[in-house]
Amino acid sequence: MIKFAICDDEPQMAQEIADQLVGYMKETGGYSVECFSSGYALLKSPDEFDVIFLDIQMERPDGMETARLLRQRDNHSLIVFVTVLKERVFDAFQVEAYDYLLKPLDSARFRRTMDRALGWLERDAAKNLVIQRGSGCQVILLSDILYCEVLGRKIYLHKKDGMVVDYYDRLEDLEQRVDGRFFKCHRSYLVNLDYVGGCQDGQVLLQNGERIPVSRLRERELTQALLRHMKERGV
């Protein structure tokens, strides 16, 4: 589900953006829209949004300051400023804004922004793994995963920061959801080839010093897959 946030202290303007969104997304489905009347209220929200429509001219923190605070939190939402202030467009680059729309909203311009934003989100989704944990879900970057291990009915994702995330799934299903950087070296393991340092004595040697098993029948395939992967990366 795509999550949108609208942050504008003018209720009429917030409603106009919401109406534009509903009109654009009516044939897409799977989305939510949440409105905030101040930057402070947005910053207090525990949710992380895919796209944030953010007014600049508000009480402190104004939109630009709100965007800076979001980025300081390592927030990667697409920020689209919606404002009357043409002169602040260059400031938007400093907070990695995705787009800059002027009030009053132009419907054609809004649709072009949405076309690009949804295209970006679709491409970016391929780099993420969304897992179900209890009644919620968690998004994990594929590039953060060293290897995946199955024990019983659970998958354990071993991340490069040392954290291990577990959830219920089958390794066969997970294998269909990850990209070509992951290789099934053993019936219970998928390894991220980005972090493989070699193979020796029936074990995959990871760059951080860890070792995981590789089945005898897959050792040669692992070596070939690793060489192909290094060639694709230009290593």
Side-chain angles (χ1 to χ4, degrees), residues 17-163:
I17 298 171
D19 290 344
Q20 293 264 14
L21 266 177
V22 171
Y24 181 91
M25 297 292 293
K26 63 182 179 183
E27 296 178 3
T28 303
Y31 72 97
S32 66
V33 182
E34 191 167 349
C35 293
F36 301 90
S37 60
S38 68
Y40 179 70
L42 174 62
L43 291 166
K44 281 183 61 179
S45 172
D47 296 324
E48 183 160 335
F49 300 94
D50 297 295
V51 183
I52 299 174
F53 292 91
L54 185 58
D55 186 21
I56 292 179
Q57 206 169 15
M58 298 187 293
E59 295 292 328
R60 292 193 64 183
D62 67 8
M64 203 62 70
E65 187 177 353
T66 298
R68 288 194 188 96
L69 291 169
L70 286 170
R71 294 304 190 221
Q72 287 174 13
R73 297 177 179 180
D74 202 28
N75 181 291
H76 300 290
S77 303
L78 300 183
I79 295 176
V80 179
F81 286 115
V82 185
T83 181
V84 295
L85 302 173
K86 295 181 182 180
E87 64 274 14
R88 299 295 300 275
V89 64
F90 294 108
D91 295 335
F93 291 112
Q94 298 176 14
V95 292
E96 301 174 12
Y98 187 75
D99 211 341
Y100 196 94
L101 301 178
L102 293 175
K103 298 178 182 180
L105 279 179
D106 177 81
S107 296
R109 179 78 172 82
F110 182 87
R111 294 189 69 84
R112 288 197 297 272
T113 294
M114 287 298 300
D115 287 344
R116 292 192 303 109
L118 293 194
W120 190 94
L121 290 172
E122 184 177 344
R123 290 190 298 273
D124 192 59
K127 304 173 186 176
N128 297 329
L129 180 67
V130 181
I131 61 173
Q132 192 75 31
R133 303 192 74 200
S135 59
C137 63
Q138 185 173 346
V139 179
I140 297 176
L141 291 174
L142 294 181
S143 58
D144 285 346
I145 302 173
L146 292 176
Y147 63 94
C148 316
E149 177 185 15
V150 62
L151 287 172
R153 295 174 53 229
K154 274 191 173 184
I155 297 285
Y156 293 82
L157 304 176
H158 296 258
K159 298 172 61 184
K160 64 182 182 182
D161 62 4
M163 299 291 290

Side-chain angles (χ1 to χ4, degrees), residues 147-151 156 158 171 174-175 182-192 204 211-214 218:
Y147 63 94
C148 316
E149 177 185 15
V150 62
L151 287 172
Y156 293 82
H158 296 258
L171 196 65
L174 174 60
E175 194 174 2
F182 287 86
F183 179 82
K184 190 173 184 179
C185 59
H186 184 277
R187 65 182 181 181
S188 300
Y189 290 87
L190 285 175
V191 65
N192 187 338
V204 179
R211 296 168 179 250
I212 61 174
V214 56
R218 305 232 69 187

